[in-house]
Amino acid sequence: MDIARGRAVELPRAETERRWQATTPQWPIMHAVLDGVTRDQLMAQHKSNHIQVVYGSDAAAADFTLQAKATFAHTLGIQVHLCGVGSPIGTKLSPTT
């Protein structure tokens, strides 16, 4: 599981529509920028353009949520990759860590 902090960004309406029509227009769309992770880094590691989002009201809430999700996945035996600012790309939590 790849976990990173980021934020939603607004793109021009025409670009959003173009992207919607190139995928499945019935699905919701959000444009995101991950802190300290480029698009190419994300695609090289994650190999998907789909992400799960957890909202936070501020940086402290985002950090707490990131840590909680990483800990939960780790407890379930899922290998976790913490990516981006504040957590070096490639940092891994494994069930034996």
Side-chain angles (χ1 to χ4, degrees), residues 29-92:
I29 192 168
M30 182 188 88
H31 310 294
V33 173
L34 302 179
D35 299 337
V37 180
T38 69
R39 181 199 67 190
D40 291 343
Q41 288 171 320
L42 175 68
M43 296 306 290
Q45 171 68 27
H46 192 58
K47 298 179 177 59
S48 174
N49 65 349
H50 293 81
I51 61 174
Q52 179 189 29
V53 176
V54 178
Y55 294 96
S57 56
D58 55 33
D63 288 341
F64 177 82
T65 305
L66 182 148
Q67 292 171 6
K69 185 168 184 148
T71 300
F72 180 69
H74 177 75
T75 301
L76 292 175
I78 299 170
Q79 186 175 45
V80 176
H81 301 242
L82 301 176
C83 307
V85 174
S87 41
I89 293 178
T91 298
K92 298 178 183 180

